[in-house]
Amino acid sequence: MSEQSYEAALAKEEASLLQQISAIEKRIEEIDFAQETSAVNFPPNIQAKLHALRKIQLDIVDREVNFHLKAHAMEVEYQAEFKECHQMIARIVNGEDVSDLVEQDATTNDVADQPSGVPNFWLTVLKASFLDGVVQEQDEPALQQLRDIRCVLLNDPEPGFELLFEFASNDYFTNEVLTKQYFLSCAPNVEAPSKFNGFEIYRCVGCKIDWKPEHDLTKDPGMNSFFSFFEPENIAEVGTNCGVMMMECDFEYGYYIKETLIPRAVFLFLGENPELGDSKAMCTCNRCLYIDCLDHITTYPEPPAEEEIEDGEQEEDEPEKQVLSASSE
Amino acid sequence: MSEQSYEAALAKEEASLLQQISAIEKRIEEIDFAQETSAVNFPPNIQAKLHALRKIQLDIVDREVNFHLKAHAMEVEYQAEFKECHQMIARIVNGEDVSDLVEQDATTNDVADQPSGVPNFWLTVLKASFLDGVVQEQDEPALQQLRDIRCVLLNDPEPGFELLFEFASNDYFTNEVLTKQYFLSCAPNVEAPSKFNGFEIYRCVGCKIDWKPEHDLTKDPGMNSFFSFFEPENIAEVGTNCGVMMMECDFEYGYYIKETLIPRAVFLFLGENPELGDSKAMCTCNRCLYIDCLDHITTYPEPPAEEEIEDGEQEEDEPEKQVLSASSE
């Protein structure tokens, strides 16, 4: 066999192999597709159309991703609109000069009578909210020093938001601001694109609290603390199932603070619309085990049994009670 | 008394009266405010600050209204992005020339074998959806003629959306397109501004179906029909409580068609992610009495007792069954 014909034979064999591989790939794709749609059996002459329809469906999902990204970018731009309101609230709450904001009334508002600002504003807001059960008695002196809770929407390097808790100087830690960042993903799961539903929190990062000596409120493993919220890394240490649930709850808290606690803080403080503090309306995870799990953070022997997790009825009705009972055990 | 001094006295009295009225108005405002915030008792020297805080809170709500309106306008603009996808789906489903969309495969897709389009696509989608229970057996021959279900977002003269159901010629009615319009309001309730939560459907308008003689599927008061969906005016005739609930359910259906049924039609058809058809994930009213009530549209003697309405647990778990059982009574 000449070198040329040998090369030609090789090239032909290669082409044939490539063709076979392509056929196998196509067959795998067909099997995958048939499995995906196993619930319904379609005659083969409809399959090509369904293939095409499914491609368009996936294209719709991709376009929705773009829409959500654009909407988030718009929200990021729009936050300046709300910033000045939140700054005014902070000025009043912290007793800064607010003569331009507060109408003075000589009889009831004698300047000498005025306390500085609105004492315990943010602690009261927290306790009127869905996070009530997370605030422990021993956390309160530190939380009385809360000057502001803010949210900053981020788009760069990735979509997300940062919660900032600003504190006056206190006996517990030296940080002026405690932060928690939440990162959002907006992409369909390739294995289950039909479940795509816009942005989802997928990761959060806390901050290191510089505790003053003998004042670490999160140190005692037998005691829960609101400040564990800034240590989400600890959740990763908990057994997988329980860790995932706690993460879901943590994400619910973060989302609630961004969407309700901050923009409705005054209504929460005033006790208007108790539903704002109602976890029933907010928590879609139905498994508020966050504090329950934190309680056992070092001792949890096994993830809880499946029926315990799924039995969400009562938890949904009385989550605060459940959370509180965890701390009184 | 000279005329001048008389007029001066009158003017003075008027000024004094106006001042008194203003003081009374201010006092009423204070009483209103105190009542609104009766859950918490604040010392009087804090009241002025709370007044100012509440004004800022209402300003935040107003700015949210503007944000939602802007976001809706963006969505209206963005719908062109999705339109071409939905038009391609319609072409494939209705067997129009789709050689550019459907990959031809000589072995399984012999042209002679091809049925025209994908038979019963939209009927299958409806039955795989949250609206399953609304589709009655006698509706199916008409619904087999569904060529398309579309949604057009509107911003002018007011925000809303229109659902369009396009039919091939059929034995039942002469309309080519049946429509249902939903109108959205985006304004806080002045009596309960803390409950503001963005857009809400507040009104819907159906269309007149031009039934062919002897083919009106909605005529028999003892039989439910999917086509009653286009006659929301009838709901207004039902006793107030029941009517309000039915309206809420109707709004849920409209919102579901816009948000899930249309953008996830192919996934619903293919049976991917059964949750897409799950009312548990969609219906927040927990009181799917729509069909139940329609059943008694002329005979309902009294609105149902409160406990029947509030007992939503089982309904939430098995709403389809409940809706179906209503039609088999």
Side-chain angles (χ1 to χ4, degrees):
Chain A
M1 198 185 263
S2 73
E3 208 170 310
Q4 278 88 349
S5 62
Y6 178 71
E7 277 184 3
L10 251 183
K12 203 177 163 189
E13 200 180 322
E14 194 185 332
S16 158
L17 281 170
L18 284 173
Q19 211 172 2
Q20 283 176 49
I21 290 170
S22 158
I24 291 167
E25 280 176 347
K26 195 164 182 188
R27 183 72 195 118
I28 289 172
E29 203 180 285
E30 277 168 12
I31 291 168
D32 274 357
F33 179 67
Q35 282 180 334
E36 278 160 7
T37 60
S38 59
V40 203
N41 290 313
F42 301 104
N45 52 9
I46 301 277
Q47 292 281 355
K49 292 202 181 77
L50 297 185
H51 246 299
L53 283 175
R54 197 165 182 277
K55 258 186 204 164
I56 300 167
Q57 177 70 82
L58 294 176
D59 191 21
I60 289 174
V61 170
D62 282 342
R63 286 168 195 233
E64 283 181 17
V65 169
N66 287 333
F67 173 76
H68 287 296
L69 291 172
K70 208 176 147 185
H72 179 77
M74 189 187 111
E75 209 181 332
V76 171
E77 262 179 53
Y78 211 82
Q79 62 183 338
E81 280 290 311
F82 297 101
K83 198 176 171 183
E84 64 180 301
C85 293
H86 293 297
Q87 283 175 339
M88 284 195 281
I89 290 174
R91 279 172 60 203
I92 296 174
V93 162
N94 295 310
E96 290 163 27
D97 175 30
V98 288
S99 49
D100 54 328
L101 300 175
V102 178
E103 274 175 51
Q104 297 299 329
D105 178 332
T107 54
T108 59
N109 290 292
D110 188 40
V111 175
D113 277 351
Q114 301 282 324
S116 172
V118 180
N120 297 338
F121 180 82
W122 287 105
L123 173 58
T124 309
V125 170
L126 280 171
K127 292 183 77 173
S129 84
F130 169 33
L131 276 80
D132 177 30
V134 190
V135 175
Q136 308 299 320
E137 213 182 319
Q138 78 274 12
D139 298 327
E140 296 195 15
L143 291 172
Q144 282 174 359
Q145 302 307 316
L146 254 173
R147 288 175 55 85
D148 201 11
I149 304 180
R150 299 191 283 281
C151 176
V152 177
L153 291 176
L154 311 165
N155 211 10
D156 199 30
E158 57 178 322
F161 59 91
E162 181 171 34
L163 302 175
L164 297 106
F165 295 70
E166 188 189 328
F167 284 84
S169 67
N170 63 73
D171 295 339
Y172 295 84
F173 44 81
T174 56
N175 316 54
E176 280 181 21
V177 180
L178 300 181
T179 62
K180 179 116 172 226
Q181 292 177 309
Y182 286 90
F183 297 97
L184 305 167
S185 78
C186 187
N189 179 336
V190 280
E191 311 242 310
S194 62
K195 293 192 174 166
F196 177 72
N197 197 21
F199 277 108
E200 253 181 34
I201 299 173
Y202 77 99
R203 184 167 74 92
C204 64
V205 175
C207 73
K208 193 182 165 292
I209 304 181
D210 298 316
W211 295 106
K212 294 186 179 175
E214 313 288 314
H215 279 85
D216 185 344
L217 292 161
T218 64
K219 206 180 179 182
D220 182 350
M223 295 265 257
N224 298 317
S225 168
F226 171 79
F227 292 94
S228 301
F229 180 67
F230 300 100
E231 297 175 336
E233 293 76 9
N234 288 349
I235 297 174
E237 292 169 17
V238 184
T240 322
N241 272 7
C242 191
V244 167
M245 281 185 296
M246 285 162 65
M247 269 298 168
E248 279 179 24
C249 287
D250 184 283
F251 294 172
E252 291 285 335
Y253 290 150
Y255 187 74
Y256 175 82
I257 293 171
K258 170 186 181 283
E259 291 288 312
T260 304
L261 189 133
I262 295 173
R264 295 291 179 270
V266 177
F267 286 144
L268 281 164
F269 182 86
L270 295 173
E272 286 187 58
N273 190 4
E275 280 176 31
L276 291 175
D278 189 351
S279 59
K280 223 193 307 189
M282 294 303 157
C283 186
T284 57
C285 76
N286 293 349
R287 298 172 294 196
C288 282
L289 293 170
Y290 188 43
I291 290 304
D292 235 351
C293 283
L294 275 186
D295 209 18
H296 306 279
I297 203 160
T298 48
T299 56
Y300 231 107
E302 285 278 285
E306 201 63 23
E307 55 268 38
E308 274 182 64
I309 304 166
E310 294 303 327
D311 183 21
E313 298 299 319
Q314 213 193 328
E315 290 164 28
E316 197 180 17
D317 286 334
E318 307 183 277
E320 267 104 345
K321 267 194 202 159
Q322 191 217 356
V323 166
L324 283 170
S325 70
S327 64
S328 59
E329 271 167 26
Chain B
M1 198 183 263
S2 75
E3 207 168 311
Q4 279 88 349
S5 62
Y6 179 71
E7 276 183 4
L10 251 183
K12 202 178 165 191
E13 201 181 323
E14 194 183 332
S16 160
L17 281 171
L18 283 174
Q19 210 173 3
Q20 283 177 49
I21 290 170
S22 160
I24 291 168
E25 279 176 349
K26 194 164 183 188
R27 183 74 195 116
I28 289 173
E29 204 180 284
E30 278 170 11
I31 291 168
D32 273 357
F33 178 67
Q35 281 180 334
E36 277 159 10
T37 60
S38 59
V40 203
N41 290 312
F42 300 104
N45 52 8
I46 300 277
Q47 291 281 356
K49 293 202 180 78
L50 298 184
H51 245 300
L53 283 175
R54 196 164 182 276
K55 258 187 205 164
I56 300 168
Q57 177 70 84
L58 295 176
D59 191 21
I60 289 174
V61 170
D62 282 343
R63 286 168 195 233
E64 283 180 18
V65 169
N66 287 333
F67 172 76
H68 287 297
L69 291 171
K70 208 177 149 186
H72 179 77
M74 190 188 110
E75 209 182 333
V76 171
E77 262 180 53
Y78 211 82
Q79 62 182 337
E81 280 290 312
F82 297 102
K83 197 176 173 184
E84 63 179 303
C85 292
H86 292 297
Q87 283 175 339
M88 285 196 280
I89 290 173
R91 279 170 61 202
I92 295 174
V93 162
N94 295 310
E96 289 164 30
D97 176 29
V98 288
S99 49
D100 55 327
L101 300 176
V102 178
E103 273 175 50
Q104 297 299 328
D105 178 332
T107 54
T108 59
N109 291 291
D110 189 39
V111 176
D113 278 350
Q114 302 279 327
S116 173
V118 180
N120 298 337
F121 179 82
W122 287 106
L123 173 57
T124 308
V125 169
L126 281 170
K127 293 183 76 173
S129 84
F130 171 33
L131 277 80
D132 178 31
V134 190
V135 175
Q136 308 298 319
E137 213 182 320
Q138 78 274 12
D139 297 327
E140 296 197 14
L143 291 172
Q144 282 174 359
Q145 302 307 316
L146 254 173
R147 288 175 54 85
D148 202 11
I149 304 180
R150 298 191 282 282
C151 176
V152 177
L153 292 176
L154 312 164
N155 211 11
D156 199 30
E158 57 178 321
F161 58 91
E162 181 171 36
L163 302 174
L164 297 107
F165 295 70
E166 188 189 329
F167 284 84
S169 67
N170 63 74
D171 294 340
Y172 295 85
F173 45 81
T174 56
N175 316 52
E176 280 179 22
V177 180
L178 300 180
T179 62
K180 179 117 172 227
Q181 292 177 310
Y182 286 89
F183 296 97
L184 305 168
S185 78
C186 188
N189 179 335
V190 280
E191 311 243 308
S194 62
K195 292 191 175 168
F196 176 71
N197 196 21
F199 276 109
E200 253 182 35
I201 299 173
Y202 76 99
R203 184 167 74 92
C204 64
V205 175
C207 72
K208 192 181 164 293
I209 303 180
D210 298 317
W211 296 105
K212 294 186 180 176
E214 313 287 316
H215 278 86
D216 185 345
L217 292 161
T218 63
K219 207 179 176 182
D220 182 348
M223 296 265 257
N224 298 317
S225 168
F226 170 80
F227 292 93
S228 300
F229 181 68
F230 300 100
E231 296 174 336
E233 293 76 10
N234 288 348
I235 297 175
E237 294 168 17
V238 184
T240 321
N241 272 6
C242 191
V244 168
M245 280 187 296
M246 284 162 64
M247 270 297 170
E248 278 179 24
C249 287
D250 184 283
F251 293 172
E252 290 285 337
Y253 290 150
Y255 187 73
Y256 175 83
I257 292 170
K258 170 186 180 285
E259 291 288 312
T260 304
L261 190 134
I262 294 174
R264 296 290 180 270
V266 177
F267 285 144
L268 281 164
F269 182 85
L270 295 173
E272 286 186 58
N273 191 5
E275 281 176 31
L276 291 174
D278 188 351
S279 57
K280 223 192 309 188
M282 295 301 157
C283 187
T284 56
C285 76
N286 292 350
R287 299 172 293 196
C288 282
L289 293 171
Y290 189 43
I291 290 303
D292 234 352
C293 283
L294 275 185
D295 209 17
H296 306 278
I297 202 158
T298 50
T299 56
Y300 230 107
E302 283 278 286
E306 201 64 24
E307 55 268 37
E308 274 181 65
I309 302 167
E310 295 303 327
D311 183 22
E313 297 298 321
Q314 212 192 330
E315 289 163 28
E316 198 180 16
D317 286 333
E318 308 183 278
E320 267 104 346
K321 266 195 205 160
Q322 191 217 356
V323 167
L324 282 169
S325 70
S327 64
S328 59
E329 269 167 29

